[in-house]
Amino acid sequence: MKKEELSYLYLILLHAGIGFLVYLVPATAKVYGFSAFFLGLYYVIKKRNRNHEVLLAAAYVTGSEVFLRMTGGNISYEFSKYGVMIFMFIGMYYKGFARGATPYWIYLLLLVPSVVISTFVLDYDTNIRTTIAFNISGPVCLGLASLYTFRRKITLEQVNSILLAIGLPIVTCMVYLTFYTPSIRDVVTSTESNFATSGGFGPNQVATFLGLGMFVFFSRIILASKSKFLVLINLFVALNITYRGIVTFSRGGMITGLLMIIFLLLFLYLKSNFKGKVKLNYILGLMVIALMVTWSYSSIQTGGLIDKRYANKDSKGRDKQSKFTGRSDIAETEINMFLNNPVFGVGVAKGVEIREMETGKFVVSHDEITRMLAEHGALGIIALLILIFTPLVLYLDNKFNMFLICFLLFWFLTINHAAMRTAVPAFVYSLSLLNVQLVLPKNKEE
């Protein structure tokens, strides 16, 4: 076995071991959470960010967020977003702001009016500072990360390393979930999202991370496996993550991960020569068979309930009235808020208070698109247009970036079912702005 293969195996086993250790001794989650941030900080400062080490550190903090939330290991509940922002500031200190990132300065400025409005309109008994911070931290994290990554030159190998840094803590999460719920049959009784199979935490967020992890390790099978041994390791990890994601019964994250894989394969297929297409056909065949086996196993373990879940049926096989489990009602209220306040919106976090006043229920939005409309008005529409079209314009100048569409797709689909409550859509979006090259020129511009 080659040294490279052994090192990679040890890295996977280390993170699997952390998951098992946290399951046995829950207090070690705090040690892991603090270590992830402070060791990353030490690594970046020691390297002086010569090769964009801040992206590796931020990626690891991002990938560990949902695991640390479910185990209480984070410095604070929202810390991962702030951790990413801290690393971005450090990156800017060493390398300055990205040139030409004007669209993202404008995007950040467009968020300001709604923040100011909310300081006047939020209820008297609301903790204004923490409420605004909770609701605006995701969009601000995206803006700051984008100011750093905008058109930064980076190699494909570095992008694969960044993705691995996201994926390794997801391996930890997957192993923890395996021990937390060893028997799926005992806890699955309906077709609703299942907290028991997602570590007692929100299935929607857990599935989002597991879906991304599925993409990370399937992409490594194609792009970062130089031997059959590495192919087998990555396939084994990818299928286990896929299985744990499927049995959360939360569909959004897993469908997103699958679409990312399809887009990556389509890109590579269109760009490959005949020999490359033959190789991709073999890999695609292997992946399809493996996914079919994984789905079949999931179906057996859930007594066929997972098939009904994805067919939008209840446990008795009856069609559900809505595919969106009440989210369409929330979106409708937010569209009405926008129509009543079309210019500046109702203010950050005010949408929740208005909805509670009208319905008597405290329900936060799952959809960042309609939330931006309701709380930021027309300025929110402009901000969203900047976020959607800027990466697409960059793609015209950097068609080698095979991940750009995948990252943009992940961001867009994720914010439609999980908003921006975690750092992952913000950070992954920022990666779509990188100028990816096979090899950097010797006199590279930063």
Side-chain angles (χ1 to χ4, degrees), residues 253-289:
M254 301 311 295
I255 292 172
T256 298
L258 180 61
L259 288 174
M260 291 172 74
I261 293 170
I262 291 171
F263 269 84
L264 178 62
L265 287 170
L266 182 62
F267 177 95
L268 292 171
Y269 200 83
L270 292 175
K271 297 289 184 180
S272 297
N273 55 26
F274 177 77
K275 185 177 180 181
K277 288 178 179 177
V278 171
K279 183 180 178 181
L280 279 173
N281 285 336
Y282 281 117
I283 293 174
L284 180 60
L286 175 66
M287 289 170 58
V288 168
I289 292 171

PDB file of all heavy atoms in Angstrom, residues 253-289:
ATOM      1  N   GLY A 253     -31.972  17.782   1.031  1.00  0.00           N
ATOM      2  CA  GLY A 253     -30.518  17.682   1.001  1.00  0.00           C
ATOM      3  C   GLY A 253     -30.019  16.561   0.119  1.00  0.00           C
ATOM      4  O   GLY A 253     -29.026  16.707  -0.603  1.00  0.00           O
ATOM      5  N   MET A 254     -30.720  15.423   0.130  1.00  0.00           N
ATOM      6  CA  MET A 254     -30.269  14.276  -0.647  1.00  0.00           C
ATOM      7  C   MET A 254     -30.516  14.472  -2.145  1.00  0.00           C
ATOM      8  O   MET A 254     -29.683  14.108  -2.973  1.00  0.00           O
ATOM      9  CB  MET A 254     -30.972  13.007  -0.160  1.00  0.00           C
ATOM     10  CG  MET A 254     -30.734  12.696   1.312  1.00  0.00           C
ATOM     11  SD  MET A 254     -28.977  12.756   1.784  1.00  0.00           S
ATOM     12  CE  MET A 254     -28.322  11.393   0.821  1.00  0.00           C
ATOM     13  N   ILE A 255     -31.649  15.079  -2.482  1.00  0.00           N
ATOM     14  CA  ILE A 255     -31.922  15.366  -3.892  1.00  0.00           C
ATOM     15  C   ILE A 255     -30.918  16.381  -4.423  1.00  0.00           C
ATOM     16  O   ILE A 255     -30.413  16.271  -5.544  1.00  0.00           O
ATOM     17  CB  ILE A 255     -33.368  15.880  -4.061  1.00  0.00           C
ATOM     18  CG1 ILE A 255     -34.357  14.750  -3.758  1.00  0.00           C
ATOM     19  CG2 ILE A 255     -33.600  16.415  -5.473  1.00  0.00           C
ATOM     20  CD1 ILE A 255     -35.809  15.191  -3.716  1.00  0.00           C
ATOM     21  N   THR A 256     -30.579  17.371  -3.592  1.00  0.00           N
ATOM     22  CA  THR A 256     -29.582  18.374  -3.979  1.00  0.00           C
ATOM     23  C   THR A 256     -28.237  17.722  -4.251  1.00  0.00           C
ATOM     24  O   THR A 256     -27.580  18.007  -5.260  1.00  0.00           O
ATOM     25  CB  THR A 256     -29.437  19.441  -2.874  1.00  0.00           C
ATOM     26  OG1 THR A 256     -30.679  20.124  -2.706  1.00  0.00           O
ATOM     27  CG2 THR A 256     -28.358  20.446  -3.226  1.00  0.00           C
ATOM     28  N   GLY A 257     -27.795  16.840  -3.343  1.00  0.00           N
ATOM     29  CA  GLY A 257     -26.517  16.143  -3.534  1.00  0.00           C
ATOM     30  C   GLY A 257     -26.497  15.317  -4.805  1.00  0.00           C
ATOM     31  O   GLY A 257     -25.508  15.302  -5.534  1.00  0.00           O
ATOM     32  N   LEU A 258     -27.616  14.637  -5.083  1.00  0.00           N
ATOM     33  CA  LEU A 258     -27.703  13.811  -6.293  1.00  0.00           C
ATOM     34  C   LEU A 258     -27.632  14.674  -7.551  1.00  0.00           C
ATOM     35  O   LEU A 258     -26.934  14.331  -8.514  1.00  0.00           O
ATOM     36  CB  LEU A 258     -29.005  13.011  -6.278  1.00  0.00           C
ATOM     37  CG  LEU A 258     -29.259  12.099  -7.485  1.00  0.00           C
ATOM     38  CD1 LEU A 258     -28.160  11.046  -7.604  1.00  0.00           C
ATOM     39  CD2 LEU A 258     -30.631  11.446  -7.385  1.00  0.00           C
ATOM     40  N   LEU A 259     -28.328  15.809  -7.552  1.00  0.00           N
ATOM     41  CA  LEU A 259     -28.288  16.702  -8.714  1.00  0.00           C
ATOM     42  C   LEU A 259     -26.893  17.270  -8.934  1.00  0.00           C
ATOM     43  O   LEU A 259     -26.456  17.444 -10.080  1.00  0.00           O
ATOM     44  CB  LEU A 259     -29.303  17.833  -8.534  1.00  0.00           C
ATOM     45  CG  LEU A 259     -30.779  17.438  -8.662  1.00  0.00           C
ATOM     46  CD1 LEU A 259     -31.676  18.623  -8.328  1.00  0.00           C
ATOM     47  CD2 LEU A 259     -31.076  16.932 -10.073  1.00  0.00           C
ATOM     48  N   MET A 260     -26.174  17.543  -7.861  1.00  0.00           N
ATOM     49  CA  MET A 260     -24.790  18.026  -7.988  1.00  0.00           C
ATOM     50  C   MET A 260     -23.916  16.975  -8.669  1.00  0.00           C
ATOM     51  O   MET A 260     -23.101  17.298  -9.543  1.00  0.00           O
ATOM     52  CB  MET A 260     -24.224  18.367  -6.611  1.00  0.00           C
ATOM     53  CG  MET A 260     -24.844  19.588  -5.966  1.00  0.00           C
ATOM     54  SD  MET A 260     -24.281  19.785  -4.256  1.00  0.00           S
ATOM     55  CE  MET A 260     -22.588  20.363  -4.507  1.00  0.00           C
ATOM     56  N   ILE A 261     -24.090  15.719  -8.282  1.00  0.00           N
ATOM     57  CA  ILE A 261     -23.319  14.635  -8.889  1.00  0.00           C
ATOM     58  C   ILE A 261     -23.650  14.530 -10.372  1.00  0.00           C
ATOM     59  O   ILE A 261     -22.753  14.387 -11.215  1.00  0.00           O
ATOM     60  CB  ILE A 261     -23.617  13.294  -8.172  1.00  0.00           C
ATOM     61  CG1 ILE A 261     -23.091  13.337  -6.741  1.00  0.00           C
ATOM     62  CG2 ILE A 261     -22.991  12.126  -8.938  1.00  0.00           C
ATOM     63  CD1 ILE A 261     -23.547  12.167  -5.889  1.00  0.00           C
ATOM     64  N   ILE A 262     -24.930  14.621 -10.716  1.00  0.00           N
ATOM     65  CA  ILE A 262     -25.356  14.524 -12.117  1.00  0.00           C
ATOM     66  C   ILE A 262     -24.756  15.653 -12.945  1.00  0.00           C
ATOM     67  O   ILE A 262     -24.243  15.426 -14.055  1.00  0.00           O
ATOM     68  CB  ILE A 262     -26.896  14.540 -12.205  1.00  0.00           C
ATOM     69  CG1 ILE A 262     -27.469  13.243 -11.623  1.00  0.00           C
ATOM     70  CG2 ILE A 262     -27.362  14.714 -13.658  1.00  0.00           C
ATOM     71  CD1 ILE A 262     -28.978  13.249 -11.465  1.00  0.00           C
ATOM     72  N   PHE A 263     -24.779  16.873 -12.426  1.00  0.00           N
ATOM     73  CA  PHE A 263     -24.223  18.013 -13.157  1.00  0.00           C
ATOM     74  C   PHE A 263     -22.710  17.881 -13.326  1.00  0.00           C
ATOM     75  O   PHE A 263     -22.161  18.231 -14.374  1.00  0.00           O
ATOM     76  CB  PHE A 263     -24.567  19.323 -12.450  1.00  0.00           C
ATOM     77  CG  PHE A 263     -25.851  19.937 -12.927  1.00  0.00           C
ATOM     78  CD1 PHE A 263     -27.066  19.530 -12.393  1.00  0.00           C
ATOM     79  CD2 PHE A 263     -25.861  20.904 -13.918  1.00  0.00           C
ATOM     80  CE1 PHE A 263     -28.257  20.080 -12.831  1.00  0.00           C
ATOM     81  CE2 PHE A 263     -27.042  21.464 -14.363  1.00  0.00           C
ATOM     82  CZ  PHE A 263     -28.253  21.053 -13.829  1.00  0.00           C
ATOM     83  N   LEU A 264     -22.029  17.375 -12.295  1.00  0.00           N
ATOM     84  CA  LEU A 264     -20.581  17.184 -12.405  1.00  0.00           C
ATOM     85  C   LEU A 264     -20.260  16.145 -13.470  1.00  0.00           C
ATOM     86  O   LEU A 264     -19.360  16.344 -14.311  1.00  0.00           O
ATOM     87  CB  LEU A 264     -20.008  16.746 -11.051  1.00  0.00           C
ATOM     88  CG  LEU A 264     -18.497  16.471 -11.026  1.00  0.00           C
ATOM     89  CD1 LEU A 264     -17.703  17.737 -11.369  1.00  0.00           C
ATOM     90  CD2 LEU A 264     -18.074  15.919  -9.669  1.00  0.00           C
ATOM     91  N   LEU A 265     -20.977  15.031 -13.455  1.00  0.00           N
ATOM     92  CA  LEU A 265     -20.763  13.981 -14.455  1.00  0.00           C
ATOM     93  C   LEU A 265     -21.072  14.480 -15.861  1.00  0.00           C
ATOM     94  O   LEU A 265     -20.336  14.180 -16.820  1.00  0.00           O
ATOM     95  CB  LEU A 265     -21.629  12.766 -14.130  1.00  0.00           C
ATOM     96  CG  LEU A 265     -21.182  11.913 -12.937  1.00  0.00           C
ATOM     97  CD1 LEU A 265     -22.259  10.903 -12.573  1.00  0.00           C
ATOM     98  CD2 LEU A 265     -19.868  11.201 -13.243  1.00  0.00           C
ATOM     99  N   LEU A 266     -22.125  15.257 -15.993  1.00  0.00           N
ATOM    100  CA  LEU A 266     -22.496  15.804 -17.298  1.00  0.00           C
ATOM    101  C   LEU A 266     -21.407  16.738 -17.820  1.00  0.00           C
ATOM    102  O   LEU A 266     -21.031  16.668 -19.002  1.00  0.00           O
ATOM    103  CB  LEU A 266     -23.826  16.556 -17.188  1.00  0.00           C
ATOM    104  CG  LEU A 266     -24.392  17.159 -18.487  1.00  0.00           C
ATOM    105  CD1 LEU A 266     -24.680  16.060 -19.509  1.00  0.00           C
ATOM    106  CD2 LEU A 266     -25.656  17.954 -18.200  1.00  0.00           C
ATOM    107  N   PHE A 267     -20.886  17.595 -16.942  1.00  0.00           N
ATOM    108  CA  PHE A 267     -19.804  18.506 -17.328  1.00  0.00           C
ATOM    109  C   PHE A 267     -18.586  17.721 -17.806  1.00  0.00           C
ATOM    110  O   PHE A 267     -18.024  18.001 -18.872  1.00  0.00           O
ATOM    111  CB  PHE A 267     -19.431  19.395 -16.141  1.00  0.00           C
ATOM    112  CG  PHE A 267     -18.278  20.334 -16.413  1.00  0.00           C
ATOM    113  CD1 PHE A 267     -18.523  21.642 -16.815  1.00  0.00           C
ATOM    114  CD2 PHE A 267     -16.957  19.918 -16.275  1.00  0.00           C
ATOM    115  CE1 PHE A 267     -17.472  22.513 -17.076  1.00  0.00           C
ATOM    116  CE2 PHE A 267     -15.901  20.777 -16.536  1.00  0.00           C
ATOM    117  CZ  PHE A 267     -16.159  22.077 -16.937  1.00  0.00           C
ATOM    118  N   LEU A 268     -18.171  16.744 -17.009  1.00  0.00           N
ATOM    119  CA  LEU A 268     -16.983  15.961 -17.344  1.00  0.00           C
ATOM    120  C   LEU A 268     -17.190  15.168 -18.631  1.00  0.00           C
ATOM    121  O   LEU A 268     -16.268  15.042 -19.443  1.00  0.00           O
ATOM    122  CB  LEU A 268     -16.642  15.018 -16.185  1.00  0.00           C
ATOM    123  CG  LEU A 268     -16.163  15.702 -14.895  1.00  0.00           C
ATOM    124  CD1 LEU A 268     -16.066  14.689 -13.768  1.00  0.00           C
ATOM    125  CD2 LEU A 268     -14.817  16.380 -15.120  1.00  0.00           C
ATOM    126  N   TYR A 269     -18.389  14.656 -18.819  1.00  0.00           N
ATOM    127  CA  TYR A 269     -18.674  13.864 -20.010  1.00  0.00           C
ATOM    128  C   TYR A 269     -18.573  14.724 -21.270  1.00  0.00           C
ATOM    129  O   TYR A 269     -18.007  14.318 -22.285  1.00  0.00           O
ATOM    130  CB  TYR A 269     -20.067  13.237 -19.909  1.00  0.00           C
ATOM    131  CG  TYR A 269     -20.260  12.053 -20.828  1.00  0.00           C
ATOM    132  CD1 TYR A 269     -19.823  10.787 -20.442  1.00  0.00           C
ATOM    133  CD2 TYR A 269     -20.874  12.194 -22.060  1.00  0.00           C
ATOM    134  CE1 TYR A 269     -19.994   9.687 -21.273  1.00  0.00           C
ATOM    135  CE2 TYR A 269     -21.053  11.112 -22.902  1.00  0.00           C
ATOM    136  CZ  TYR A 269     -20.596   9.854 -22.504  1.00  0.00           C
ATOM    137  OH  TYR A 269     -20.757   8.781 -23.340  1.00  0.00           O
ATOM    138  N   LEU A 270     -19.102  15.941 -21.191  1.00  0.00           N
ATOM    139  CA  LEU A 270     -19.078  16.837 -22.353  1.00  0.00           C
ATOM    140  C   LEU A 270     -17.667  17.333 -22.664  1.00  0.00           C
ATOM    141  O   LEU A 270     -17.341  17.621 -23.821  1.00  0.00           O
ATOM    142  CB  LEU A 270     -19.998  18.040 -22.098  1.00  0.00           C
ATOM    143  CG  LEU A 270     -21.502  17.735 -22.037  1.00  0.00           C
ATOM    144  CD1 LEU A 270     -22.281  18.984 -21.649  1.00  0.00           C
ATOM    145  CD2 LEU A 270     -21.994  17.195 -23.386  1.00  0.00           C
ATOM    146  N   LYS A 271     -16.821  17.424 -21.629  1.00  0.00           N
ATOM    147  CA  LYS A 271     -15.463  17.953 -21.822  1.00  0.00           C
ATOM    148  C   LYS A 271     -14.433  16.862 -22.113  1.00  0.00           C
ATOM    149  O   LYS A 271     -13.294  17.167 -22.489  1.00  0.00           O
ATOM    150  CB  LYS A 271     -15.021  18.709 -20.567  1.00  0.00           C
ATOM    151  CG  LYS A 271     -15.855  19.935 -20.235  1.00  0.00           C
ATOM    152  CD  LYS A 271     -15.613  21.067 -21.208  1.00  0.00           C
ATOM    153  CE  LYS A 271     -16.390  22.317 -20.811  1.00  0.00           C
ATOM    154  NZ  LYS A 271     -16.166  23.429 -21.755  1.00  0.00           N
ATOM    155  N   SER A 272     -14.806  15.594 -21.970  1.00  0.00           N
ATOM    156  CA  SER A 272     -13.835  14.505 -22.106  1.00  0.00           C
ATOM    157  C   SER A 272     -13.697  14.035 -23.550  1.00  0.00           C
ATOM    158  O   SER A 272     -14.622  14.170 -24.362  1.00  0.00           O
ATOM    159  CB  SER A 272     -14.257  13.313 -21.226  1.00  0.00           C
ATOM    160  OG  SER A 272     -14.259  13.667 -19.868  1.00  0.00           O
ATOM    161  N   ASN A 273     -12.528  13.460 -23.831  1.00  0.00           N
ATOM    162  CA  ASN A 273     -12.328  12.810 -25.131  1.00  0.00           C
ATOM    163  C   ASN A 273     -12.916  11.393 -25.070  1.00  0.00           C
ATOM    164  O   ASN A 273     -13.505  11.002 -24.055  1.00  0.00           O
ATOM    165  CB  ASN A 273     -10.847  12.778 -25.501  1.00  0.00           C
ATOM    166  CG  ASN A 273      -9.985  12.120 -24.416  1.00  0.00           C
ATOM    167  OD1 ASN A 273     -10.474  11.295 -23.639  1.00  0.00           O
ATOM    168  ND2 ASN A 273      -8.723  12.483 -24.358  1.00  0.00           N
ATOM    169  N   PHE A 274     -12.741  10.624 -26.133  1.00  0.00           N
ATOM    170  CA  PHE A 274     -13.348   9.293 -26.198  1.00  0.00           C
ATOM    171  C   PHE A 274     -12.866   8.398 -25.062  1.00  0.00           C
ATOM    172  O   PHE A 274     -13.663   7.713 -24.407  1.00  0.00           O
ATOM    173  CB  PHE A 274     -13.024   8.639 -27.543  1.00  0.00           C
ATOM    174  CG  PHE A 274     -13.565   7.234 -27.666  1.00  0.00           C
ATOM    175  CD1 PHE A 274     -14.920   7.013 -27.914  1.00  0.00           C
ATOM    176  CD2 PHE A 274     -12.725   6.133 -27.511  1.00  0.00           C
ATOM    177  CE1 PHE A 274     -15.422   5.718 -28.000  1.00  0.00           C
ATOM    178  CE2 PHE A 274     -13.219   4.843 -27.602  1.00  0.00           C
ATOM    179  CZ  PHE A 274     -14.573   4.632 -27.853  1.00  0.00           C
ATOM    180  N   LYS A 275     -11.551   8.417 -24.804  1.00  0.00           N
ATOM    181  CA  LYS A 275     -10.983   7.570 -23.757  1.00  0.00           C
ATOM    182  C   LYS A 275     -11.538   7.971 -22.389  1.00  0.00           C
ATOM    183  O   LYS A 275     -11.868   7.122 -21.555  1.00  0.00           O
ATOM    184  CB  LYS A 275      -9.458   7.688 -23.762  1.00  0.00           C
ATOM    185  CG  LYS A 275      -8.766   6.751 -22.791  1.00  0.00           C
ATOM    186  CD  LYS A 275      -7.246   6.865 -22.904  1.00  0.00           C
ATOM    187  CE  LYS A 275      -6.547   5.930 -21.920  1.00  0.00           C
ATOM    188  NZ  LYS A 275      -5.067   6.054 -22.022  1.00  0.00           N
ATOM    189  N   GLY A 276     -11.661   9.274 -22.186  1.00  0.00           N
ATOM    190  CA  GLY A 276     -12.196   9.763 -20.918  1.00  0.00           C
ATOM    191  C   GLY A 276     -13.651   9.380 -20.738  1.00  0.00           C
ATOM    192  O   GLY A 276     -14.095   9.052 -19.625  1.00  0.00           O
ATOM    193  N   LYS A 277     -14.429   9.412 -21.828  1.00  0.00           N
ATOM    194  CA  LYS A 277     -15.844   9.053 -21.753  1.00  0.00           C
ATOM    195  C   LYS A 277     -16.027   7.572 -21.428  1.00  0.00           C
ATOM    196  O   LYS A 277     -16.947   7.197 -20.700  1.00  0.00           O
ATOM    197  CB  LYS A 277     -16.537   9.404 -23.063  1.00  0.00           C
ATOM    198  CG  LYS A 277     -16.720  10.904 -23.263  1.00  0.00           C
ATOM    199  CD  LYS A 277     -17.378  11.228 -24.601  1.00  0.00           C
ATOM    200  CE  LYS A 277     -17.559  12.735 -24.758  1.00  0.00           C
ATOM    201  NZ  LYS A 277     -18.127  13.116 -26.050  1.00  0.00           N
ATOM    202  N   VAL A 278     -15.149   6.737 -21.962  1.00  0.00           N
ATOM    203  CA  VAL A 278     -15.216   5.305 -21.651  1.00  0.00           C
ATOM    204  C   VAL A 278     -14.974   5.079 -20.162  1.00  0.00           C
ATOM    205  O   VAL A 278     -15.695   4.312 -19.502  1.00  0.00           O
ATOM    206  CB  VAL A 278     -14.178   4.525 -22.487  1.00  0.00           C
ATOM    207  CG1 VAL A 278     -14.103   3.070 -22.006  1.00  0.00           C
ATOM    208  CG2 VAL A 278     -14.545   4.560 -23.963  1.00  0.00           C
ATOM    209  N   LYS A 279     -13.965   5.783 -19.619  1.00  0.00           N
ATOM    210  CA  LYS A 279     -13.659   5.664 -18.188  1.00  0.00           C
ATOM    211  C   LYS A 279     -14.839   6.151 -17.344  1.00  0.00           C
ATOM    212  O   LYS A 279     -15.213   5.520 -16.340  1.00  0.00           O
ATOM    213  CB  LYS A 279     -12.407   6.477 -17.852  1.00  0.00           C
ATOM    214  CG  LYS A 279     -11.975   6.363 -16.395  1.00  0.00           C
ATOM    215  CD  LYS A 279     -10.730   7.185 -16.129  1.00  0.00           C
ATOM    216  CE  LYS A 279     -10.332   7.090 -14.646  1.00  0.00           C
ATOM    217  NZ  LYS A 279      -9.132   7.918 -14.359  1.00  0.00           N
ATOM    218  N   LEU A 280     -15.440   7.269 -17.771  1.00  0.00           N
ATOM    219  CA  LEU A 280     -16.589   7.799 -17.045  1.00  0.00           C
ATOM    220  C   LEU A 280     -17.776   6.844 -17.094  1.00  0.00           C
ATOM    221  O   LEU A 280     -18.539   6.739 -16.124  1.00  0.00           O
ATOM    222  CB  LEU A 280     -16.996   9.166 -17.627  1.00  0.00           C
ATOM    223  CG  LEU A 280     -16.195  10.373 -17.161  1.00  0.00           C
ATOM    224  CD1 LEU A 280     -16.592  11.614 -17.953  1.00  0.00           C
ATOM    225  CD2 LEU A 280     -16.398  10.621 -15.663  1.00  0.00           C
ATOM    226  N   ASN A 281     -17.928   6.139 -18.204  1.00  0.00           N
ATOM    227  CA  ASN A 281     -19.018   5.160 -18.325  1.00  0.00           C
ATOM    228  C   ASN A 281     -18.881   4.054 -17.290  1.00  0.00           C
ATOM    229  O   ASN A 281     -19.867   3.619 -16.681  1.00  0.00           O
ATOM    230  CB  ASN A 281     -19.052   4.567 -19.736  1.00  0.00           C
ATOM    231  CG  ASN A 281     -19.618   5.532 -20.761  1.00  0.00           C
ATOM    232  OD1 ASN A 281     -20.382   6.433 -20.413  1.00  0.00           O
ATOM    233  ND2 ASN A 281     -19.240   5.364 -22.017  1.00  0.00           N
ATOM    234  N   TYR A 282     -17.640   3.591 -17.095  1.00  0.00           N
ATOM    235  CA  TYR A 282     -17.390   2.555 -16.088  1.00  0.00           C
ATOM    236  C   TYR A 282     -17.710   3.087 -14.687  1.00  0.00           C
ATOM    237  O   TYR A 282     -18.358   2.403 -13.878  1.00  0.00           O
ATOM    238  CB  TYR A 282     -15.935   2.093 -16.145  1.00  0.00           C
ATOM    239  CG  TYR A 282     -15.646   1.132 -17.260  1.00  0.00           C
ATOM    240  CD1 TYR A 282     -14.756   1.462 -18.279  1.00  0.00           C
ATOM    241  CD2 TYR A 282     -16.248  -0.133 -17.304  1.00  0.00           C
ATOM    242  CE1 TYR A 282     -14.483   0.572 -19.320  1.00  0.00           C
ATOM    243  CE2 TYR A 282     -15.987  -1.020 -18.331  1.00  0.00           C
ATOM    244  CZ  TYR A 282     -15.100  -0.671 -19.332  1.00  0.00           C
ATOM    245  OH  TYR A 282     -14.842  -1.552 -20.359  1.00  0.00           O
ATOM    246  N   ILE A 283     -17.229   4.315 -14.408  1.00  0.00           N
ATOM    247  CA  ILE A 283     -17.468   4.909 -13.091  1.00  0.00           C
ATOM    248  C   ILE A 283     -18.956   5.138 -12.867  1.00  0.00           C
ATOM    249  O   ILE A 283     -19.500   4.846 -11.791  1.00  0.00           O
ATOM    250  CB  ILE A 283     -16.695   6.244 -12.968  1.00  0.00           C
ATOM    251  CG1 ILE A 283     -15.185   5.981 -12.974  1.00  0.00           C
ATOM    252  CG2 ILE A 283     -17.096   6.979 -11.692  1.00  0.00           C
ATOM    253  CD1 ILE A 283     -14.342   7.236 -13.004  1.00  0.00           C
ATOM    254  N   LEU A 284     -19.628   5.644 -13.896  1.00  0.00           N
ATOM    255  CA  LEU A 284     -21.071   5.892 -13.795  1.00  0.00           C
ATOM    256  C   LEU A 284     -21.834   4.595 -13.544  1.00  0.00           C
ATOM    257  O   LEU A 284     -22.738   4.546 -12.700  1.00  0.00           O
ATOM    258  CB  LEU A 284     -21.573   6.559 -15.081  1.00  0.00           C
ATOM    259  CG  LEU A 284     -23.072   6.888 -15.136  1.00  0.00           C
ATOM    260  CD1 LEU A 284     -23.448   7.841 -14.008  1.00  0.00           C
ATOM    261  CD2 LEU A 284     -23.439   7.504 -16.486  1.00  0.00           C
ATOM    262  N   GLY A 285     -21.453   3.535 -14.250  1.00  0.00           N
ATOM    263  CA  GLY A 285     -22.097   2.241 -14.048  1.00  0.00           C
ATOM    264  C   GLY A 285     -21.913   1.745 -12.629  1.00  0.00           C
ATOM    265  O   GLY A 285     -22.862   1.245 -11.995  1.00  0.00           O
ATOM    266  N   LEU A 286     -20.683   1.873 -12.111  1.00  0.00           N
ATOM    267  CA  LEU A 286     -20.386   1.459 -10.741  1.00  0.00           C
ATOM    268  C   LEU A 286     -21.225   2.250  -9.741  1.00  0.00           C
ATOM    269  O   LEU A 286     -21.810   1.678  -8.802  1.00  0.00           O
ATOM    270  CB  LEU A 286     -18.893   1.666 -10.457  1.00  0.00           C
ATOM    271  CG  LEU A 286     -18.414   1.405  -9.022  1.00  0.00           C
ATOM    272  CD1 LEU A 286     -18.554  -0.072  -8.673  1.00  0.00           C
ATOM    273  CD2 LEU A 286     -16.961   1.849  -8.855  1.00  0.00           C
ATOM    274  N   MET A 287     -21.314   3.558  -9.954  1.00  0.00           N
ATOM    275  CA  MET A 287     -22.052   4.413  -9.032  1.00  0.00           C
ATOM    276  C   MET A 287     -23.551   4.129  -9.062  1.00  0.00           C
ATOM    277  O   MET A 287     -24.213   4.109  -8.016  1.00  0.00           O
ATOM    278  CB  MET A 287     -21.770   5.888  -9.360  1.00  0.00           C
ATOM    279  CG  MET A 287     -20.358   6.331  -8.987  1.00  0.00           C
ATOM    280  SD  MET A 287     -19.904   7.967  -9.634  1.00  0.00           S
ATOM    281  CE  MET A 287     -21.171   8.988  -8.927  1.00  0.00           C
ATOM    282  N   VAL A 288     -24.094   3.904 -10.246  1.00  0.00           N
ATOM    283  CA  VAL A 288     -25.525   3.616 -10.366  1.00  0.00           C
ATOM    284  C   VAL A 288     -25.872   2.313  -9.650  1.00  0.00           C
ATOM    285  O   VAL A 288     -26.859   2.248  -8.897  1.00  0.00           O
ATOM    286  CB  VAL A 288     -25.951   3.544 -11.848  1.00  0.00           C
ATOM    287  CG1 VAL A 288     -27.357   2.964 -11.993  1.00  0.00           C
ATOM    288  CG2 VAL A 288     -25.898   4.930 -12.485  1.00  0.00           C
ATOM    289  N   ILE A 289     -25.059   1.291  -9.873  1.00  0.00           N
ATOM    290  CA  ILE A 289     -25.298   0.005  -9.210  1.00  0.00           C
ATOM    291  C   ILE A 289     -25.215   0.169  -7.693  1.00  0.00           C
ATOM    292  O   ILE A 289     -26.067  -0.335  -6.944  1.00  0.00           O
ATOM    293  CB  ILE A 289     -24.290  -1.058  -9.693  1.00  0.00           C
ATOM    294  CG1 ILE A 289     -24.556  -1.398 -11.171  1.00  0.00           C
ATOM    295  CG2 ILE A 289     -24.380  -2.320  -8.840  1.00  0.00           C
ATOM    296  CD1 ILE A 289     -23.480  -2.258 -11.794  1.00  0.00           C
TER     297      ILE A 289
END
